[in-house]
Amino acid sequence: MILSRTSVYESISTGFFVILTFDLVAGSDQVRVKFSVRSHTPQPVEAMLRVHAVWQSWVSRSVGGTHPALPNGWRYIDGAQEAATSGTPDHLH
């Protein structure tokens, strides 16, 4: 059985969104993270790659139960599409 949680983050200034899906396999202490970079408007490839690199670095630092602060200029969007000042996923239940 796989337990999943999806979180959406929004750039305050660039118009990008990042969707992260955290998958925890039951009976395991490992979490798989998938993420995608999206925008409602066309964006240059270079800008999209910069956003991807920022979030890849953030995901890489999220190991061993640590949860670094969100990248500068980003905020968490909850299921009701309201911004929150925090919201880094810290559990999967």
Side-chain angles (χ1 to χ4, degrees):
M1 180 174 158
I2 296 177
L3 302 173
S4 293
R5 178 173 177 185
T6 298
S7 298
V8 180
Y9 301 87
E10 174 185 37
S11 170
I12 296 168
S13 62
T14 65
F16 282 108
F17 292 85
V18 170
I19 295 129
L20 286 101
T21 302
F22 300 84
D23 295 324
L24 174 67
V25 178
S28 170
D29 62 352
Q30 294 189 1
V31 175
R32 282 178 263 168
V33 181
K34 296 180 268 184
F35 67 95
S36 64
V37 178
R38 300 182 186 181
S39 176
H40 292 297
T41 60
Q43 298 285 342
V45 172
E46 297 82 16
M48 202 166 242
L49 290 173
R50 282 192 300 271
V51 170
H52 184 274
V54 165
W55 281 93
Q56 185 171 355
S57 175
W58 185 86
V59 167
S60 296
R61 290 189 322 266
S62 300
V63 296
T66 63
H67 303 286
L70 291 179
N72 226 6
W74 288 83
R75 62 184 174 182
Y76 172 74
I77 305 292
D78 71 12
Q81 297 299 308
E82 296 174 5
T85 56
S86 62
T88 304
D90 59 358
H91 62 285
L92 292 168
H93 45 66

